[in-house]
Amino acid sequence: MGSSDRLFNRQRTVHEVLGGGLVADVILWRRSKLTWGILVVTLAAWVVFEISGYTLLSLSSCVLLLLTTILFLWAKSAAILNRPSPPLPEMHISEDMMNDVAAFARTHINAVLLAFQNIALGKDTWMYFKVAISLLLISVVGSLTDFLTLGYTSYGSAVQFYSKLSEGYRSKVQQWIAEQKKLS
């Protein structure tokens, strides 16, 4: 491996610094078809949302309406033509799953409300400053970009962060998740 493969003449290559997996291959254009595919899909999503004036809610609504209409017409035409109806899996949410989600949401919402109460009563000055600085940063970033661009950037950053985190700290993250499940 030559010195040109190294980033600033360091011990690790750029590929290793970026995680060494699929994400690094995409960023470094080693899998050019996949990289082009991601760029085209991202461009198409941007065109749909920005140029056409659709919002995420309106697009989701139109897609669900189209899907529901297709399935409805398929079922009705199948009944008229004595054909089998469209195959659909059994769709339901278990009570245990909903109880777990509700308990998780309840504990986190209560923690936020308690922090808000402590700030509002003047008991936690340090938390007030952290919240104020965070809201100020959100306001500044929000004034510099629109919500959709911020969402795409945040999603891409989260994917990059998760890939790097899962590679280096997998056992620690799993241990932390297990501890959080025990607490809730």
Side-chain angles (χ1 to χ4, degrees):
M1 196 175 296
S3 63
S4 64
D5 294 337
R6 309 282 180 177
L7 178 65
F8 302 120
N9 205 15
R10 303 285 177 150
Q11 298 298 323
R12 298 179 354 175
T13 63
V14 176
H15 191 263
E16 291 169 348
V17 169
L18 292 174
L22 178 66
V23 174
D25 290 343
V26 169
I27 291 173
L28 295 174
W29 288 79
R30 291 186 178 171
R31 295 189 182 190
S32 60
K33 289 183 181 179
L34 181 61
T35 305
W36 275 111
I38 290 171
L39 287 175
V40 167
V41 167
T42 304
L43 178 66
W46 180 80
V47 167
V48 166
F49 286 122
E50 288 291 327
I51 294 178
S52 70
Y54 272 115
T55 63
L56 182 61
L57 183 62
S58 63
L59 181 68
S60 301
S61 176
C62 289
V63 167
L64 287 174
L65 177 63
L66 180 65
L67 179 65
T68 304
T69 304
I70 289 170
L71 289 173
F72 176 78
L73 292 175
W74 185 357
K76 286 297 184 181
S77 63
I80 292 171
L81 300 173
N82 293 326
R83 301 279 180 155
S85 60
L88 289 177
E90 185 177 336
M91 295 180 277
H92 72 281
I93 299 174
S94 69
E95 189 173 343
D96 292 335
M97 182 190 301
M98 284 308 299
N99 288 337
D100 291 344
V101 169
F104 179 79
R106 179 185 54 82
T107 56
H108 288 293
I109 289 171
N110 283 338
V112 168
L113 291 175
L114 180 64
F116 175 74
Q117 184 179 15
N118 288 339
I119 291 170
L121 294 176
K123 294 180 180 178
D124 197 351
T125 307
W126 182 245
M127 180 61 80
Y128 165 73
F129 285 118
K130 288 195 300 189
V131 169
I133 290 171
S134 299
L135 291 174
L136 181 64
L137 285 174
I138 291 170
S139 174
V140 168
V141 169
S143 68
L144 296 175
T145 183
D146 63 340
F147 183 73
L148 190 63
T149 304
L150 182 63
Y152 281 141
T153 307
S154 300
Y155 177 73
S157 299
V159 168
Q160 290 291 334
F161 177 74
Y162 177 75
S163 65
K164 189 66 176 169
L165 180 71
S166 65
E167 190 176 291
Y169 301 101
R170 183 179 307 265
S171 62
K172 291 180 182 179
V173 169
Q174 289 174 348
Q175 180 183 5
W176 181 80
I177 290 172
E179 290 174 7
Q180 294 301 317
K181 285 184 180 179
K182 288 178 186 176
L183 293 176
S184 62

